[in-house]
Amino acid sequence: MNQKLLKLENLLRFHTICRQLHSLSQRRLLAWWKHGFSPAYPLWPEQLCAWPWQTDMLVGAALCQHRLFVTKKEKRPLRSQLSPLKPKRDVEVWVGMTVEELARAMAKDIDYIYEALLNTAIDIDSLEVNSHLDEVWIKEVIKKAGMKLRWSKLKQEKVRENKDAVRRPQADPALLTPRFPVVTIMGHVDHGKTTLLDKLRKTQVAAMEVGGITQHIGAFLVSLPSGEKITFLDTPGHAAFSAMRARGAQVTDIVVLVVAADDGVMKQTVESIQHAQEAQVPIVLAINKCDKTDADPEKVKKELLAYDVVCEDYGGDVQAVHVSALTGDNLTALAEATIALSEMLELKADPTGPVEGTVIESFTDKGRGPVTTAIIQRGTLRKGSILVAGKCWAKVRLMFDENGKTLNEAYPSMPVGIIGWRDLPSAGDEILEVESEPRAREVVDWRKTEQKEEKGKDDLKIMEEQRKKHQEAHRQAREKYGSVHWRRRSYIKYLERKEQRPLKPKEKAGKDSNVLPIIIKGDVDGSVEAILNLLDTYDASHECELELVHFGLGDISENDVNFAETFNGVIYGFNVDAGKAIQQTAAQKGVKIKLHKIIYHLIEDLQEELSSRLPHRLEEYPIGEACILATFSVTEGKRKVPVAGCRVQKGQLEKQKKFKLIRNGQVIWKGSLTSLKHHKDDVLVIKTGMDCGLILDEEKVEFKVGDEVVCYEENEIPAKTSWDPGF
Ligand SMILES: Nc1nc2c(ncn2[C@@H]2O[C@H](COP(=O)(O)OP(=O)(O)OP(=O)(O)O)[C@@H](O)[C@H]2O)c(=O)[nH]1
C-alpha cells in the first residue's frame, strides 16, 4: 500500500514537473522512455537531473508515466515506431522552415519532429521550436513519416519575378554617335596627380572665362582649342577604380599615368599599371616634373618596360608626354595625345532612349539634400527623368556642371551633378532611367527585398555554423560529464570549478561564508541565457565565490526551494512567479527568493548579495593626536614601565579608544593604554593643549621624543563586490 502511495505521489510530482518542463522535456521523457529508462541515456532531462531525487525514485515515477503512455497508446497510436503511419500524405515544405512550421505542415505535434530527428547528427538540444531546418532534415523527417514531400509555392515564390531594372541590350550601331573620352589620372604618391588635375581644371575655368569658384563634382570637362573635349575624373584614381570595378562598372576609357621624372617607377605606379591592365584600359604616360634639374624621362620609360608599358620611342604604342604640372608645360600636348588615343578607340555611344550612367561621387548638401555626380554613358539625361541607382531613386530636379552652371541636358561622357535623390546612392552604383516613379519604387523595393533575402541566407549560414560549434562543445561536455546533459557554458564552467573545489551542501555555504550559491529561473531560454552570460563575467578572482547550483525555465518550484535550502543558496527569478505556498515554504526554510523583471535589477541585487557575503572593511577615524616631549619610567613592583610625556596637539585622547604610535611616518605599535594621567591624576580624556603621561599595553615598546601618538576609533564599513558585468 505504502509502495503504491509512494508511486502515486511520485507520479503526481512527476506530472507537475513535466507540465512545467515545457514540451522539450516531454519529448526527452519519451525518448528516455523508449531507451528503457536508462539513466545513461544522453537526453536525460536536465531538470530531472537537478532534482534531488534518487534515480530509482525517478525510474519509479517514470514507470508510472510509462504505463500511462502505454494505456494511451492503445487508444491513440502516438509514435511512428509504434504504429506505422498511413502513407503518402503530401506535405508542403520549404527550405528554412521552422520546427513548428514543419509540424504544422505535417499535421503532427512538435514532439513528433523532435522524435524523428532523434539519433540523427542534428543537435536536438539546440533545436528550438522556431529553429530553422535545413533541407536535409526536412527530408529526413518526411521520409521517416512515410509522407511525400512537395516543395511549397513559397519556395517558388523565392524565384519570384525579377522586378529589377537592367541595362538595355547593345545599341544598334546605326544609333551610335562619337563621344569624348573619360579619363582617370593615376600614379604614385607625390608624383603630381593633384597638381596636374588642378592645372587642367584651372585651364578650363580660364578658358571658359567663368571665373570664381569651381564646383567640385568629382569630374570635370576640359575643352581644347580644337573643340575636342575630355572628361577627367577628379577622384583619387585608385578609389574610383576600386569602387567601380567592385560594382562591375567601367567608366574610364583612358588612364593618364603620372610618373615623376625625378623619382621614376614606384610601388603605386606599378599598382596603377596593374589596375589599367586588368581593366584593359589603355595608358597615356605623363612624365611629370620635367622642369626639375634631376628629371630623367628616359629612365622612366626604360623602367616601365619591365611592366609591359612600352612607349612609342621603344617600339610600343604608349604615348609619353613630358610635362610639368607645376608650370603647365605641355599640358595641351598631353590632352591632344589623349584625344588621339580616344580617336583610335573610336569611342561611341547611343544618346537615345533611357539613360544609363554611373555614380562617381555622392554627398549630402545641407541645402539641396543628396547630390550625385554621374557620368552619363547612354541616352540623354533631362530634368524630370526618373532614375534608380543601387537602392535609391530620383526624380531629376536639377542638373549642373562643375562650374555650377545649370544643364538642361547631359549626353554620354558628360559629367553631371544631379539633385532630386530620395536617398544617397554610392559611388560606382549604376544609374538607370525608368519610366515612372512607381516603377522606380518597385525596382528599389525589389532590390531591398533581394538584399534582405541574401542577408537571411547569410544569417542561416552563420546560425548553422554556430549550431555546429555548439554541437561540438556539447559533445565534449557530454564526454566529460557523462550522462549529465548540461549544455550551458556557465554550468560547464561551474562543473569544472566544482571538480577543483567541490561545494558540499551546507558545509561551505554558510550564511557568513564567502560563497554564494544561486539558482536562476527565467521565463524563456533567451533571458536565462542572458543572465548566464552576465554570470560568465564573474571570475574566480572575486572575493566571494559565486556558485550556480541550478538554473532552468519556469516559475519557482518546491524543488528550487529544496535546492536552495540544501546549498544555503538564493533563488533568483526573472519574469517568473513564486506561488504563495512556495513562498511560505521558502520562508520556513529560510530561503531567499528574489524576483525581478529587469535584468539589471536582478544583477544589482546579486551584487548586493555578493557584497553582503564579504567581510566588512575596518576604517580608522582619528580622534586626537599628541606629540611625545619626554620619556621616563615608573616602577611598578619590580618592573620598570616606560611612560611617554605628551602634549595633545589635535582633538583629544580618550583612554578607552584605540591608539597607535608613529615614528618617522611608520606605525610601530597599535593597541590600548593601560594608564592615562594628567599630572598625578588618572583621567579618561585629555584635551588639546594639555600635557599627559601615558603607558601602553605593551611595555616592550620604547618611546622616543618626537614620536607621534594617535588616538582613533575603528568603524566597520560594508564591503562592495568589485564585480561589474559592464552594462
Ligand atoms: N617641380 C615640380 N613639382 C611638382 C610638379 N607637379 C607637382 N609638383 C609638386 O609635387 C608635390 C606633390 O604634388 P601633388 O600634386 O600633391 O602629388 P599627388 O600625386 O597628387 O600626391 P598625392 O595626392 O599625395 O597622391 C607638390 O609639392 C607639388 O607642388 C611639377 O611638375 N614640377
Side-chain angles (χ1 to χ4, degrees), residues 187-196 258 288-292 323-327:
H188 190 69
V189 178
D190 273 358
H191 277 200
K193 301 177 293 290
T194 313
T195 313
L196 182 63
V258 180
N288 193 29
K289 305 198 183 181
C290 286
D291 58 299
K292 286 183 109 173
V323 297
S324 168
L326 199 67
T327 61

Side-chain angles (χ1 to χ4, degrees), residues 13 23 43 50 65 72 91 94 125 140 221 269 295 324 411 419 435 464 537 555 609:
R13 293 174 74 176
S23 62
L43 292 184
Q65 192 79 359
K72 274 192 181 175
V91 184
W94 59 94
D125 243 11
E140 178 80 19
L221 199 62
T269 318
S324 168
Y411 308 99
I419 292 174
E435 57 274 22
E464 177 61 12
T537 64
D555 289 344
E609 193 63 45

Side-chain angles (χ1 to χ4, degrees), residues 516-581:
L516 173 60
I518 54 163
I519 289 155
I520 301 284
K521 293 296 290 277
D523 54 341
V524 289
D525 222 26
S527 53
V528 175
E529 192 84 52
I531 296 166
L532 295 185
N533 284 342
L534 288 169
L535 296 186
D536 278 347
T537 64
Y538 195 91
D539 57 50
S541 65
H542 291 288
E543 315 83 335
C544 176
E545 205 154 330
L546 186 64
E547 294 285 1
L548 175 69
V549 289
H550 176 56
F551 66 85
L553 300 181
D555 289 344
I556 313 295
S557 65
E558 205 182 323
N559 184 34
D560 299 324
V561 176
N562 289 340
F563 249 127
E565 192 203 5
T566 313
F567 288 93
N568 228 334
V570 178
I571 303 174
Y572 282 91
F574 179 73
N575 265 336
V576 293
D577 279 334
K580 254 195 180 158

Side-chain angles (χ1 to χ4, degrees), residues 51 76 186 247 280 568 615 685:
W51 211 16
R76 179 174 68 93
M186 296 175 93
R247 293 169 177 84
Q280 296 184 341
N568 228 334
V685 177

Side-chain angles (χ1 to χ4, degrees), residues 204-478:
Q204 178 57 15
V205 173
M208 293 188 69
E209 290 176 5
V210 173
I213 310 146
T214 47
Q215 195 97 16
H216 180 86
I217 63 163
F220 61 92
L221 199 62
V222 169
S223 299
L224 302 180
S226 57
E228 308 280 2
K229 287 178 178 169
I230 304 173
T231 293
F232 282 98
L233 291 191
D234 187 6
T235 46
H238 300 290
F241 254 83
S242 307
M244 282 160 215
R245 280 193 314 132
R247 293 169 177 84
Q250 188 62 65
V251 280
T252 305
D253 302 309
I254 293 167
V255 162
V256 168
L257 181 66
V258 180
V259 186
D262 58 338
D263 206 14
V265 174
M266 303 301 285
K267 190 170 170 257
Q268 282 172 299
T269 318
V270 178
E271 279 175 21
S272 308
I273 296 168
Q274 280 163 359
H275 276 303
Q277 286 171 343
E278 275 166 27
Q280 296 184 341
V281 176
I283 290 173
V284 170
L285 182 62
I287 304 179
N288 193 29
K289 305 198 183 181
C290 286
D291 58 299
K292 286 183 109 173
T293 46
D294 53 349
D296 188 352
E298 291 314 309
K299 185 178 151 245
V300 172
K301 289 181 198 169
K302 276 185 204 151
E303 283 174 351
L304 285 171
L305 291 173
Y307 304 97
D308 271 351
V309 178
V310 187
C311 297
E312 286 170 335
D313 310 358
Y314 289 80
D317 53 5
V318 176
Q319 303 176 75
V321 188
H322 300 189
V323 297
S324 168
L326 199 67
T327 61
D329 270 2
N330 254 355
L331 290 195
T332 312
L334 179 66
E336 277 165 1
T338 310
I339 291 293
L341 179 59
S342 74
E343 277 168 1
M344 277 171 61
L345 295 173
E346 293 185 352
L347 301 171
K348 285 183 178 170
D350 167 19
T352 65
V355 167
E356 291 172 13
T358 299
V359 176
I360 300 297
E361 237 184 31
S362 65
F363 59 95
T364 304
D365 184 279
K366 263 192 184 166
R368 299 181 295 180
V371 181
T372 63
T373 303
I375 296 284
I376 304 302
Q377 290 163 306
R378 193 172 178 181
T380 301
L381 184 66
R382 294 184 179 89
K383 219 172 132 182
S385 297
I386 310 291
L387 305 176
V388 287
K391 286 175 282 304
C392 313
W393 70 276
K395 180 172 183 176
V396 181
R397 220 168 57 224
L398 185 74
M399 298 188 300
F400 56 93
D401 67 7
E402 69 272 18
N403 300 311
K405 202 176 130 196
T406 306
L407 297 173
N408 292 322
E409 289 183 328
Y411 308 99
S413 289
M414 262 178 84
V416 57
I418 303 170
I419 292 174
W421 294 97
R422 301 304 193 262
D423 289 304
L424 201 61
S426 310
D429 276 352
E430 181 183 62
I431 294 178
L432 294 171
E433 184 176 1
V434 292
E435 57 274 22
S436 62
E437 284 186 29
R439 171 71 185 127
R441 283 199 197 94
E442 185 181 58
V443 172
V444 169
D445 287 349
W446 193 87
R447 289 178 179 180
K448 283 181 179 168
T449 314
E450 273 289 286
Q451 192 195 29
K452 248 190 226 162
E453 278 180 12
E454 281 304 311
K455 196 179 168 292
K457 278 184 205 157
D458 291 348
D459 288 351
L460 266 178
K461 244 191 231 164
I462 293 166
M463 271 164 61
E464 177 61 12
E465 276 163 19
Q466 277 177 346
R467 194 185 63 74
K468 279 186 185 153
K469 254 193 227 162
H470 180 89
Q471 198 172 357
E472 181 52 26
H474 166 73
R475 192 188 58 71
Q476 284 174 5
R478 202 159 61 189

